[in-house]
Amino acid sequence: MTNRIAFQGEPGAYSHEACRKARPEMEALPCRTFEDAIEAVRSGAADLAMLPVENSTYGRVADIHTLLPQSGLHIIEEAFVRVRISLLGVPGAQLGDITHAMSHTVLLGQCKEFLQQHGIHRITGADTAGSARQVSERGEKSTAALASELAGEIYGLDMLARHIEDNSNNTTRFLIMSREADTTRRGRHGMITTFVFQVRNIPAALYKAMGGFATNGVNMTKLESYMVDGSFTATRFYADIEGHPDDANVKLALDELDYFTTDVKILGVYPAASERG
């Protein structure tokens, strides 16, 4: 056991914050890409990976749904992080000194009102934590970063304004991945089962496959489609349902799903987080 949890991004990223929140006792291991974070777990360099899958404002995270089925890892938990954005400046800078703010384009778009109100111009950076690092290294009082409070702590920046996001409910959902599956019943808010599947090439296959969940009273909280290998004719579906595969109604629904599909793969069985409620 390494007692490490891998994430994509630089120290201070929101994925790093998710690691701190969900696994404060573990060492957070920054990785350049999502693939690198997954490989860190597969190779044994880390025990877990923290991967963002969707954001309440911007939808699903690109590429994640295609990476998960081939990752060889299993979802063991979900975590939610409120995206609270801070304006971070070099030591001694004041809000009135700031003429430019640097961050990932998504965060820049989430602070339009604040930036316009203060006449601050936007600079697109590679990511949030990386922007904080660059602002710290440049040492210019006129340039600030939009990032997490954690990034400010790590890179020695002053808090010039906090919680400046336009949408106060902006939240990112993360999945905690492990080499080993854990299908034990746990948690106080029920279980979630996540799986992917492809439907058979027959008329109304998706409609029939979904019918089993409706008739057996299984609540499907997510259903998304994405192309397989860049083909417009091959589509894979990603789904979350409430319940455990051993539940009688879930088992019946999955059996019916299996009849109308060519491939069903369960990615994880894990407790629903309290933030869902």
Side-chain angles (χ1 to χ4, degrees):
M1 298 287 286
T2 66
N3 200 39
R4 289 177 180 165
I5 180 169
F7 69 94
Q8 185 276 327
E10 298 197 35
Y14 287 97
S15 293
H16 187 184
E17 186 175 325
C19 293
R20 283 253 187 120
K21 178 182 177 182
R23 293 291 191 277
E25 75 284 1
M26 298 185 75
E27 176 189 352
L29 176 66
C31 299
R32 189 177 63 85
T33 65
F34 293 130
E35 291 92 336
D36 290 342
I38 291 170
E39 182 56 32
V41 179
R42 282 197 300 228
S43 68
D47 299 323
L48 303 173
M50 179 72 72
L51 300 177
V53 287
E54 59 189 320
N55 176 268
S56 60
T57 301
Y58 286 91
R60 74 183 180 190
V61 176
D63 299 332
I64 282 294
H65 290 70
T66 56
L67 290 174
L68 293 184
Q70 285 78 42
S71 69
L73 305 183
H74 306 271
I75 306 167
I76 61 166
E77 195 174 314
E78 64 178 354
F80 293 82
V81 169
R82 268 278 292 107
V83 181
R84 294 184 171 91
I85 305 173
S86 300
L87 185 73
L88 306 170
V90 298
Q94 302 294 320
L95 178 57
D97 298 327
I98 305 303
T99 60
H100 292 79
M102 178 186 298
S103 193
H104 188 280
T105 182
V106 170
L107 250 66
L108 291 171
Q110 293 176 3
C111 300
K112 286 182 180 179
E113 292 183 12
F114 179 88
L115 297 178
Q116 290 174 355
Q117 179 183 350
H118 294 277
I120 298 174
H121 301 283
R122 293 177 285 181
I123 302 175
T124 300
D127 55 41
T128 60
S131 295
R133 177 179 52 77
Q134 287 189 52
V135 167
S136 178
E137 291 173 350
R138 290 182 181 183
E140 300 172 357
K141 284 190 174 182
S142 61
T143 303
L146 299 178
S148 67
E149 291 189 27
L150 177 59
E153 295 174 13
I154 291 174
Y155 299 108
L157 299 176
D158 286 350
M159 178 78 63
L160 306 183
R162 56 163 43 94
H163 301 178
I164 62 174
E165 60 274 9
D166 297 338
N167 182 357
S168 61
N169 296 318
N170 190 15
T171 302
T172 298
R173 179 186 178 219
F174 293 84
L175 298 177
I176 301 177
M177 312 291 295
S178 172
R179 287 186 298 275
E180 303 296 329
D182 183 356
T183 61
T184 61
R185 295 182 186 272
R186 55 203 191 276
R188 297 179 297 169
H189 304 279
M191 299 293 288
I192 302 293
T193 299
T194 294
F195 55 93
V196 292
F197 64 94
Q198 286 182 242
V199 294
R200 294 171 57 194
N201 188 23
I202 58 176
L206 180 61
Y207 173 79
K208 294 174 181 176
M210 294 298 95
F213 295 96
T215 56
N216 288 286
V218 177
N219 186 28
M220 181 170 287
T221 59
K222 176 173 292 298
L223 178 65
E224 295 186 344
S225 64
Y226 58 97
M227 292 187 297
V228 179
D229 298 326
S231 170
F232 287 101
T233 57
T235 303
R236 178 176 283 141
F237 294 88
Y238 174 102
D240 292 341
I241 60 172
E242 294 180 349
H244 190 286
D246 290 341
D247 295 341
N249 61 334
V250 173
K251 188 176 187 306
L252 288 172
L254 290 175
D255 286 344
E256 191 164 338
L257 174 70
D258 190 59
Y259 181 79
F260 294 106
T261 58
T262 57
D263 177 42
V264 178
K265 183 175 184 179
I266 292 180
L267 301 181
V269 182
Y270 51 97
S274 59
E275 287 87 342
R276 279 180 171 264

